[in-house]
C-alpha cells in the first residue's frame, strides 16, 4: 500500500514538473525576440497576440514562476554557471530539470525494484548528478580554452604584426580558431561593436572562463593600454610562459594519475558493491538498513568512503 501511494505521488509530481518545464521551454519560441522585447514597443509583435497569449492560464503560471525565480539571489549565480558551461538553458528551466531528474529516477526505480529503500539513493543521486554534470561541462570548456590560449595569442600577435588593431586581430582570429575559443572571441568582438569597452569585454571573458592564464593576458593588455609598449612582444612572451606552464601541468597530471584513480576506486567501490548485492539478493542487503545497530554500518561506510575520496583528491590536486 505504501509503495502504491509513493508511486502515485511521484507520478503526479513528475507530470506537473514535466508540464511546467515544457511550458517554460516552449513559451519563448524565438529566443532573439525574447531578448530584445524589453527594448522594443509592444506594437512590434502585435498587442492583440501578446494579450491573447498572456491570458492563457499556463502562460500566467509560467510567467509567475520565471519572475519569482529571477528575483531570488541565487538566480544570478546559476545564470553565470550556465553561461560558463555554454548551456542554452534559462534559470527556471535548469531548476525544473533539477527537480524532474530525481523524480523520474525515483519513479522508475520504485516501479522496477518495488522497495522504499531505493528512494533516498535515487533522490540524492538524481539531485547531485546535474551538479557534477554542469561542473564537468564548465571545467571541460575552461580546459579546452586554456589549451588553445597559447596558439590564440600567437595568432593575435601575428595579426598585430600585420597592422591590425587588437579588436580587429581578435575578430580575425575568431574566424580561424576552434571552439570554444571561436565563440568566446566572437562574443568579445560583438560586445565591443555594441559599445562596450575592450577592457570590460575582456573582464566578462575572464568571468565566464575563470582562467588564471587568461587573467594574466588581460592584465597585460590593460597595462599596455595605459602605459604603452610593444603588445606583440608581450603576447609572445606570455604565450611562451603559458606553453611551459601547460607542459609542467601535464607532467604533474601524469605523475598523480595513480592517486586520482585510487580516489575514484575508493569512492565508487562501496556503493557499487552495495548496488550489485541489492540487485542479486535484495533480502540480504535489506538487513543492513533495518532500524537498529546495523543501520550504522552503511552510514559509517558511506561517510568514510566520501572522506577518503575527498582527501585523496585534495592531495593529488597540485596547483601549477
Amino acid at each position: 500500500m505504501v509503495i502504491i501511494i509513493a508511486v502515485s505521488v511521484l507520478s503526479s509530481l513528475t507530470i506537473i514538473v514535466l508540464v511546467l518545464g515544457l511550458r517554460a521551454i516552449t513559451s519563448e519560441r524565438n529566443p532573439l525576440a525574447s531578448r530584445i522585447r524589453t527594448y522594443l514597443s509592444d506594437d512590434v509583435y502585435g498587442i492583440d497576440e501578446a494579450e491573447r497569449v498572456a491570458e492563457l492560464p499556463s502562460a500566467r503560471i509560467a510567467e509567475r514562476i520565471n519572475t519569482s525565480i529571477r528575483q531570488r539571489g541565487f538566480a544570478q549565480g546559476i545564470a553565470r554557471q550556465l553561461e560558463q558551461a555554454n548551456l542554452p538553458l534559462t534559470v527556471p528551466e535548469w531548476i525544473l530539470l533539477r527537480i524532474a531528474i530525481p523524480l523520474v529516477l525515483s519513479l522508475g526505480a520504485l516501479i522496477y525494484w518495488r522497495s522504499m529503500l531505493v528512494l533516498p539513493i535515487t533522490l540524492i543521486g538524481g539531485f547531485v548528478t546535474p551538479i557534477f554534470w554542469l561542473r564537468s561541462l564548465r571545467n571541460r570548456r575552461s580546459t579546452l580554452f586554456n589549451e588553445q590560449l597559447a596558439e590564440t595569442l600567437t595568432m593575435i600577435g601575428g595579426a598585430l604584426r600585420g597592422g591590425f588593431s587588437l579588436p580587429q586581430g581578435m575578430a580575425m582570429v575568431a574566424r580561424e580558431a576552434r571552439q570554444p575559443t571561436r565563440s568566446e572571441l566572437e562574443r568579445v568582438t560583438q560586445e565591443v561593436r555594441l559599445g562596450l569597452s575592450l577592457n570590460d569585454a575582456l573582464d566578462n571573458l575572464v568571468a565566464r572562463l575563470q582562467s588564471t592564464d587568461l587573467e594574466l593576458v588581460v592584465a597585460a593588455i590593460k597595462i599596455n593600454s595605459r602605459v604603452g609598449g610593444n603588445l606583440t612582444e608581450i603576447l609572445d612572451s606570455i604565450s611562451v610562459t603559458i606553453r611551459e606552464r601547460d607542459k609542467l601541468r601535464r607532467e604533474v597530471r601524469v605523475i598523480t594519475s595513480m592517486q586520482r584513480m585510487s580516489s575514484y576506486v575508493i569512492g565508487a567501490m562501496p556503493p557499487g558493491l552495495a548496488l550489485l548485492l541489492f540487485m542479486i539478493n535484495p533480502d540480504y542487503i535489506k538487513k543492513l538498513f533495518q532500524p537498529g545497530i546495523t543501520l550504522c554500518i552503511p552510514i559509517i561506510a558511506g561517510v568514510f568512503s566520501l572522506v577518503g575520496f575527498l582527501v585523496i583528491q585534495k592531495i593529488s590536486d597540485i596547483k601549477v
Side-chain angles (χ1 to χ4, degrees):
M1 184 65 183
V2 177
I3 296 177
I4 296 176
I5 296 175
V7 170
S8 302
V9 172
L10 287 176
S11 301
S12 301
L13 291 176
T14 303
I15 292 173
I16 292 173
V17 171
L18 291 177
V19 169
L20 291 177
L22 290 174
R23 176 61 193 171
I25 294 173
T26 58
S27 60
E28 297 292 350
R29 296 183 178 180
N30 191 345
L32 180 60
S34 65
R35 293 181 181 180
I36 66 175
R37 181 176 290 112
T38 55
Y39 303 99
L40 298 176
S41 59
D42 292 337
D43 56 355
V44 175
Y45 293 93
I47 298 177
D48 296 336
E49 180 66 17
E51 291 179 351
R52 186 186 66 81
V53 174
E55 291 176 355
L56 295 176
S58 58
R60 290 198 299 267
I61 294 174
E63 184 62 27
R64 288 177 182 176
I65 294 175
N66 294 339
T67 304
S68 177
I69 291 176
R70 292 193 189 100
Q71 293 175 352
R72 298 296 186 269
F74 60 85
Q76 186 175 3
I78 296 177
R80 174 65 68 182
Q81 294 176 4
L82 294 174
E83 188 179 21
Q84 291 172 352
N86 196 31
L87 278 180
L89 295 176
T90 62
V91 176
E93 292 170 0
W94 173 251
I95 293 178
L96 289 173
L97 183 65
R98 291 282 306 277
I99 298 174
I101 289 177
L103 290 178
V104 173
L105 289 179
S106 300
L107 180 60
L110 194 60
I111 294 175
Y112 182 78
W113 280 296
R114 297 182 180 180
S115 174
M116 298 295 293
L117 294 177
V118 300
L119 285 182
I121 299 175
T122 53
L123 286 174
I124 295 175
F127 184 79
V128 173
T129 300
I131 299 177
F132 288 101
W133 177 60
L134 182 63
R135 183 180 300 175
S136 175
L137 291 179
R138 292 166 55 195
N139 294 337
R140 185 185 307 172
R141 185 174 177 81
S142 179
T143 301
L144 287 176
F145 185 87
N146 289 331
E147 292 176 354
Q148 301 169 7
L149 184 57
E151 180 183 357
T152 302
L153 294 179
T154 302
M155 296 172 65
I156 293 177
L160 295 178
R161 291 189 185 92
F164 293 94
S165 64
L166 182 58
Q168 292 174 341
M170 296 178 67
M172 185 183 68
V173 172
R175 294 192 293 267
E176 303 295 335
R178 297 171 294 172
Q179 293 291 353
T181 302
R182 173 184 297 178
S183 60
E184 293 297 338
L185 292 184
E186 286 177 349
R187 182 163 182 173
V188 171
T189 55
Q190 289 173 0
E191 290 178 350
V192 172
R193 290 171 183 171
L194 291 174
L196 200 65
S197 65
L198 180 60
N199 291 339
D200 292 338
L202 292 176
D203 288 337
N204 294 337
L205 178 64
V206 173
R208 288 194 300 272
L209 294 173
Q210 300 292 326
S211 171
T212 55
D213 293 337
L214 183 61
E215 290 179 1
L216 177 63
V217 175
V218 172
I221 293 175
K222 289 182 178 180
I223 294 174
N224 178 265
S225 64
R226 294 178 182 177
V227 302
N230 193 338
L231 183 59
T232 303
E233 294 182 357
I234 295 175
L235 294 180
D236 288 341
S237 62
I238 294 177
S239 176
V240 174
T241 303
I242 292 176
R243 292 180 190 275
E244 293 298 327
R245 289 181 59 182
D246 185 63
K247 180 180 178 181
L248 180 60
R249 190 181 296 113
R250 292 175 183 272
E251 293 179 354
V252 171
R253 185 171 179 82
V254 171
I255 294 173
T256 59
S257 60
M258 183 179 296
Q259 288 75 17
R260 288 185 286 105
M261 184 58 64
S262 300
S263 67
Y264 298 144
V265 173
I266 290 176
M269 183 177 293
L273 290 177
L275 181 61
L276 181 61
L277 289 175
F278 184 79
M279 296 178 64
I280 295 174
N281 192 352
D283 296 331
Y284 176 78
I285 200 68
K286 285 180 181 179
K287 297 179 181 179
L288 291 176
F289 296 93
Q290 293 178 353
I293 191 65
T294 57
L295 188 59
C296 298
I297 297 177
I299 296 176
I300 295 176
V303 171
F304 276 97
S305 298
L306 180 61
V307 171
F309 172 78
L310 295 177
V311 169
I312 297 178
Q313 282 286 324
K314 188 66 176 178
I315 293 174
S316 60
D317 186 17
I318 300 176
K319 302 297 182 181
V320 178

